[in-house]
Amino acid sequence: FSEPMFDPAASMMVVQVFCVIHAFTFYVLAAIFDERRRAEQALRETNAQLEMRVQDRTVQLEATSDRLRAQRDRYQAAIRSSGHVLYDTDLRTGHVIYGGDCERILGYTPEELEGDASKWRALVTSPSIEPCWTINMTAKVRPHSSMRYFARSPKSILRAT
């Protein structure tokens, strides 16, 4: 009977190739994991910076909002106490916003008047209103104008200037 042939040099070569392949595989995996760890760390740092920027911007926006709210409240109080009606028309959309003592002077709340200009036009009577209205609505820059007109009120007809 014969014994199997065993070549120690060939066996050692197989073991060495096996070790090299595994060492290379571990090296590649370590590089991939290290790259991922660095990317995750960079992502965490960027996220933390972004969170700080969002918090800073939120504080700035809240402060600006508070200032604007206070200015709006002072402005509305000044308009109401002046005894006048103020309105502003957005020439692009035709939307009109009213302020002041609309209810006392005109008999309507600002909310009842706001919207497109047709609400105001339905209340106003004057032979000179159409030419002025046409000039104001077609001009790119509104000329400063003043006119007398009458506005219909739920209670009576009021003269306004």
Side-chain angles (χ1 to χ4, degrees):
F1 136 172
S2 86
E3 288 189 29
M5 228 169 153
F6 179 72
D7 184 8
S11 296
M12 186 54 94
M13 180 68 96
V14 169
V15 170
Q16 287 175 342
V17 168
F18 178 79
C19 288
V20 166
I21 289 173
H22 277 78
F24 182 73
T25 302
F26 290 138
Y27 175 77
V28 169
L29 288 175
I32 290 171
F33 289 134
D34 189 52
E35 183 179 337
R36 180 181 172 117
R37 183 188 54 77
R38 287 183 196 164
E40 287 174 350
Q41 180 61 30
L43 183 60
R44 280 191 294 276
E45 289 171 4
T46 302
N47 189 31
Q49 291 171 355
L50 184 58
E51 284 294 325
M52 291 295 292
R53 287 177 61 192
V54 166
Q55 288 175 358
D56 291 345
R57 186 68 178 139
T58 300
V59 167
Q60 291 172 353
L61 288 173
E62 287 173 352
T64 300
S65 179
D66 291 344
R67 281 194 307 272
L68 287 173
R69 195 174 299 113
Q71 288 175 350
R72 182 201 62 206
D73 292 346
R74 285 193 305 271
Y75 175 76
Q76 286 176 347
I79 292 297
R80 275 193 305 276
S81 66
S82 73
H84 291 87
V85 172
L86 177 71
Y87 64 94
D88 183 35
T89 304
D90 183 337
L91 294 177
R92 290 175 294 158
T93 64
H95 185 79
V96 183
I97 298 172
Y98 291 86
D101 202 359
C102 295
E103 197 162 4
R104 185 181 63 77
I105 295 170
L106 300 175
Y108 296 95
T109 65
E111 292 78 22
E112 291 174 311
L113 295 170
E114 283 182 16
D116 66 18
S118 64
K119 290 180 180 180
W120 178 248
R121 289 183 75 188
L123 298 174
V124 174
T125 60
S126 173
S128 62
I129 194 74
E130 257 331 294
C132 290
W133 186 265
T134 303
I135 290 169
N136 279 341
M137 291 312 289
T138 57
K140 291 190 188 295
V141 176
R142 280 194 185 178
H144 177 72
S145 62
S146 174
M147 66 175 181
R148 289 179 173 233
Y149 52 83
F150 292 91
R152 291 180 194 87
S153 153
K155 298 176 186 168
S156 63
I157 295 179
L158 302 173
R159 188 184 83 197
T161 50

